[in-house]
Amino acid sequence: MKTLALVVASFCIAGAAMAQNAPAPAPAAPAAGAAAPADAAGATCQTSIGPKNLHGAALTSAATKCCKDAATAAKLHGAAATSFVKKCVSDVAPPAAPAGKKS
């Protein structure tokens, strides 16, 4: 129960910290809903890593570094930072198909 309360409190603090940042520029096409902070960081990392044409472990490593930097900039710590980085990396570098299985 203590852990659950700690996780909820850290998300509330992270949300308050995100609310203090300047708003992101409006997207070109209207979106159905507001993007989550990890989605915004994922998009930023994707555009900075994209021109490098990375694949596999190199892409995952670069995405992890970029997302950790974004979490640090957002002043996230502990479970909030871990969750943020995991979501951001999955947005930038989707998991590869299992090796050995062909359709």
Side-chain angles (χ1 to χ4, degrees), residues 21-103:
N21 293 340
D39 293 339
T44 302
C45 290
Q46 197 167 25
T47 55
S48 66
I49 294 172
K52 295 178 183 173
N53 198 19
L54 300 175
H55 299 285
L59 175 62
T60 304
S61 176
T64 302
K65 182 182 182 322
C66 183
C67 292
K68 282 184 180 180
D69 291 346
T72 302
K75 298 179 183 174
L76 299 177
H77 301 286
T82 303
S83 174
F84 180 88
V85 170
K86 184 176 178 183
K87 171 81 169 92
C88 179
V89 169
S90 70
D91 289 345
V92 174
K101 288 193 173 187
K102 293 188 178 184
S103 305

